[in-house]
Amino acid sequence: MIGPDGRAQHGVFILLRRLRVPLVLLIVSYSVAIAGFTVVTGYTPEGRPWQMSFFHAVYFVSFLGTTIGLGEIPYPFSDAQRLWALLSIYTTVLAWLYGIGAVFSTLQDPLFRRILHENRAFSGVRRMREPFYLICGYDDSGTLVARELAEAGVRTVVVDKNPERVDAVEVDQLRQQVPALVADASDPRALTLAGIANGRCAGVVALTGDDSINVNIALAARLLNPKSEVICAARWHHKQPEMAAVGADHIINPFDTFAERLVLALQAPSLHIIYEALTIQNANAMGTPRILPHGRWIVCGHGPFGRTVRRHLEKAGIQVIVMEEHADDDLPDGSVAGSPTRAETWRAARVETADGVVVCGPDDTENLTACLTARKLNADVFLAVRQNERRNSPMFRAAPVDLSVLSGYIVAAEVLRIIRAPQLSYFMRLARQQKEEWAHNLLMSMREHIGDDTVESWSVTMDREEAPAVVAALRSGRVVRVGDVMSAPDNRDLRLSAVPLLLQRANEKVLLPGDEEVLAEGDRLLLCGREVATSRMRWTVRDDTVLAYVLDGIASNRRVPWPALPPLPPGSNC
């Protein structure tokens, strides 16, 4: 049970409180038994009266209560002593049975188990010595985020009010140990227990599926740990300004993200492939740009997802017909009313002549049924469908659809992108302003350097923490160019399997910086490439001897031609 200070109450005190009566009963029964033996008179074999000493009484009652039976000491008992021993046996045994029963009852008590669970989670957070992210919500998106961060060696803490989801944290066998807490994330005390105010909490990710709770989480994070990064998922647009007002650094709306990708695929197919490669897990740059039809599209469902898709398609100049089963005052003119699982509804929407269909309902079964119905009437129409639950993935993979969209997957991909390469948003914003020819040339460059390997994206800041060798060289007057850090650390004539995407310097942003671009202290460089290129580049920018080699060809075992920076003090950032 969480205390008012956000700390877990100690289970041992709760246990002692619950066992107070059994313990008192045990103490009283033993005390009476011991006292009785010291006053009841016995007789020696010679017939002399005697009384048991306190030590002998304690000794005898101690094994009497266990029913071991070591005999009558130091002499055979009198009838009075045997009668008192008989009463003492029943009294102490009953006291023990009552006490043991009380212990088992307390251990099974939901409150006690909850306290133990909170203590375990609290201890797990306190033992952390590395920066960690607090993930509020362990649904599909939370699961994917926790797993990917664990694979990358990033520590996380999970909070979810659903016990089954929290139990899944252990079942998922994550590479890193993840403290998990069953609690309402809208309760600031629960968040405090989970480490939101901990100085090592680098960020808070609100993925509860409830926008109001996500707002509360963002507010708590901003007030209790102002330095932490706050990432919020939002389903309703009217909640997004509220999230921004309380201090959320990043707001992810999966419906907006999908609609933007759909429009991107319509307008710039090559850039869409690049975007997918940079944001989707285990994706590469070898996908074939698909030319989506620009004719008439049907949006099935007019909830938050359907409204967003319709708005983005209409903004892109696409003719849209809305199909909605339930009456809605916000339905546009020309909408078709009826169940999407019936063929007559699709015929009323003229699906036979439509070029694209997006099924946006909140129920997976109805969505798949609607897709099958539409496919029967038009085998060539481009068919995209919303998937709501990850467990239904086998059915969606087998369904005759061109694109299925899992909201949780989109949210997870965006969260990971923000954590791993926050500059990617700037890059995509600038890239959308370029022409298809520019995107096609970039795609060809990525294929040349990365091939069919999974595309990884990462950022490097030219500061003392991430690139101490580069900073030392710059401060000594040396010129370091983008091409220098792109050289292989063991053979400078070879180039890393990576492509520089963006160079950010104060308010200046350079798209696709060339090899001759000069670096300055504080620059942030966004790159994409093979996974192995990440560690090789970090080796170059961190190690003075390696950087000297790629700059001047000096062997790595020779002296560095500039003074190295002194090591950073523990805990410093710069």
Side-chain angles (χ1 to χ4, degrees):
M1 192 170 181
I2 303 172
D5 57 350
R7 289 176 174 268
Q9 294 191 10
H10 293 291
V12 64
F13 296 125
I14 303 297
L15 179 63
L16 291 176
R17 192 181 306 163
R18 291 294 180 92
L19 298 180
R20 183 169 49 195
V21 173
L23 286 175
V24 170
L25 185 60
L26 267 175
I27 293 172
V28 170
S29 61
Y30 267 71
S31 300
V32 172
I34 292 170
F37 275 110
T38 60
V39 299
V40 176
T41 302
Y43 297 93
T44 65
E46 294 77 19
R48 295 194 305 268
W50 69 280
Q51 289 180 321
M52 191 177 287
S53 68
F54 179 76
F55 173 74
H56 279 104
V58 171
Y59 174 71
F60 183 77
V61 173
S62 296
F63 65 74
L64 182 74
T66 63
T67 68
I68 294 176
L70 295 180
E72 299 172 349
I73 57 169
Y75 308 109
F77 284 179
S78 65
D79 290 343
Q81 286 177 313
R82 287 171 180 166
L83 177 61
W84 186 250
L86 190 64
L87 294 175
S88 299
I89 287 176
Y90 285 113
T91 303
T92 54
V93 168
L94 289 175
W96 270 115
L97 290 176
Y98 178 58
I100 293 172
V103 169
F104 280 108
S105 176
T106 303
L107 292 178
Q108 296 298 321
D109 187 272
L111 175 62
F112 184 73
R113 294 168 66 86
R114 179 181 167 192
I115 291 171
L116 290 182
H117 165 76
E118 291 171 352
N119 273 279
R120 189 162 54 246
F122 183 61
S123 300
V125 174
R126 282 200 310 175
R127 286 196 299 268
M128 284 188 172
R129 294 294 177 265
E130 310 88 0
F132 65 89
Y133 282 87
L134 174 57
I135 300 175
C136 302
Y138 199 70
D139 58 359
D140 290 345
S141 53
T143 303
L144 291 170
V145 171
R147 178 178 300 154
E148 289 297 319
L149 291 181
E151 291 291 327
V154 179
R155 301 297 303 271
T156 55
V157 177
V158 168
V159 176
D160 197 302
K161 64 180 180 181
N162 188 329
E164 293 180 357
R165 290 179 180 172
V166 173
D167 290 341
V169 174
E170 294 185 4
V171 177
D172 287 345
Q173 297 182 340
L174 302 176
R175 179 171 292 185
Q176 302 260 355
Q177 185 178 4
V178 178
L181 176 66
V182 178
D184 183 357
S186 62
D187 186 349
R189 297 174 303 171
L191 296 176
T192 304
L193 183 67
I196 194 173
N198 192 308
R200 295 185 178 87
C201 181
V204 180
V205 185
L207 305 174
T208 63
D210 187 313
D211 288 0
S212 297
I213 294 178
N214 288 349
V215 171
N216 291 340
I217 295 170
L219 178 60
R222 187 53 63 222
L223 294 178
L224 300 177
N225 192 349
K227 293 183 179 179
S228 65
E229 186 176 34
V230 182
I231 304 172
C232 277
R235 293 176 179 271
W236 297 94
H237 288 99
H238 69 271
K239 282 290 183 181
Q240 293 182 203
E242 198 174 341
M243 291 179 180
V246 299
D249 299 297
H250 306 277
I251 301 171
I252 301 169
N253 187 315
F255 307 148
D256 276 332
T257 303
F258 168 74
E260 289 171 359
R261 287 186 181 182
L262 187 62
V263 172
L264 192 63
L266 281 164
Q267 297 178 332
S270 296
L271 186 58
H272 178 254
I273 296 295
I274 295 171
Y275 187 61
E276 298 279 308
L278 292 174
T279 57
I280 292 181
Q281 300 156 24
N282 302 321
N284 60 38
M286 303 305 289
T288 302
R290 179 167 183 169
I291 308 300
L292 299 186
H294 286 66
R296 187 170 59 86
W297 284 60
I298 299 175
V299 174
C300 176
H302 204 239
F305 193 6
R307 293 167 195 257
T308 305
V309 171
R310 169 199 152 202
R311 187 176 68 252
H312 281 78
L313 287 176
E314 290 180 342
K315 189 176 179 182
I318 304 296
Q319 181 187 358
V320 178
I321 299 295
V322 174
M323 198 165 72
E324 172 59 47
E325 182 175 8
H326 306 289
D328 185 351
D329 295 336
D330 195 31
L331 286 174
D333 296 336
S335 299
V336 176
S339 171
T341 59
R342 295 183 177 179
E344 54 266 29
T345 310
W346 287 101
R347 290 194 183 96
R350 294 178 290 133
V351 69
E352 296 89 346
T353 58
D355 296 287
V357 170
V358 185
V359 181
C360 310
D363 185 278
D364 283 350
T365 302
E366 287 190 2
N367 286 353
L368 286 174
T369 306
C371 288
L372 293 176
T373 307
R375 181 62 79 197
K376 286 180 181 177
L377 299 175
N378 187 345
D380 299 325
V381 69
F382 178 83
L383 196 52
V385 59
R386 172 187 177 184
Q387 180 184 344
N388 297 281
E389 298 184 49
R390 190 159 62 112
R391 63 180 180 176
N392 295 326
S393 294
M395 290 197 300
F396 278 86
R397 282 196 290 269
V401 300
D402 299 290
L403 176 65
S404 62
V405 184
L406 177 61
S407 299
Y409 193 90
I410 292 178
V411 172
E414 289 295 301
V415 171
L416 295 171
R417 176 186 61 75
I418 291 169
I419 293 176
R420 289 172 173 171
Q423 286 180 284
L424 213 49
S425 296
Y426 296 120
F427 168 75
M428 289 307 303
R429 196 176 305 162
L430 295 174
R432 287 194 187 97
Q433 302 171 8
Q434 309 302 315
K435 297 181 178 178
E436 170 63 14
E437 182 182 0
W438 177 92
H440 178 75
N441 292 335
L442 173 58
L443 182 61
M444 293 300 107
S445 178
M446 290 174 62
R447 289 177 175 176
E448 177 187 354
H449 292 95
I450 306 173
D452 58 359
D453 282 20
T454 298
V455 177
E456 300 286 341
S457 57
W458 70 93
S459 297
V460 177
T461 302
M462 302 302 160
D463 59 15
R464 289 191 56 180
E465 188 175 15
E466 294 188 28
V470 174
V471 172
L474 294 174
R475 290 184 181 181
S476 67
R478 295 299 305 267
V479 174
V480 182
R481 294 180 170 83
V482 171
D484 296 325
V485 298
M486 295 297 298
S487 299
D490 51 356
N491 186 349
R492 69 173 192 164
D493 295 329
L494 298 179
R495 184 183 177 85
L496 293 176
S497 302
V499 177
L501 298 176
L502 179 70
L503 177 63
Q504 189 174 357
R505 178 181 300 152
N507 295 325
E508 181 185 2
K509 299 178 181 65
V510 181
L511 261 179
L512 306 183
D515 287 351
E516 296 302 317
E517 191 74 37
V518 178
L519 294 173
E521 188 172 351
D523 284 358
R524 300 187 70 189
L525 188 60
L526 172 68
L527 307 103
C528 69
R530 293 176 178 168
E531 183 179 7
V532 67
T534 307
S535 57
R536 289 168 67 79
M537 167 169 283
R538 296 195 187 281
W539 185 18
T540 300
V541 300
R542 288 177 178 274
D543 194 306
D544 295 295
T545 56
V546 175
L547 182 62
Y549 167 70
V550 299
L551 287 178
D552 305 322
I554 300 175
S556 60
N557 58 354
R558 295 181 59 179
R559 184 180 65 83
V560 180
W562 59 78
L565 294 174
L568 283 169
S572 63
N573 295 325
C574 184

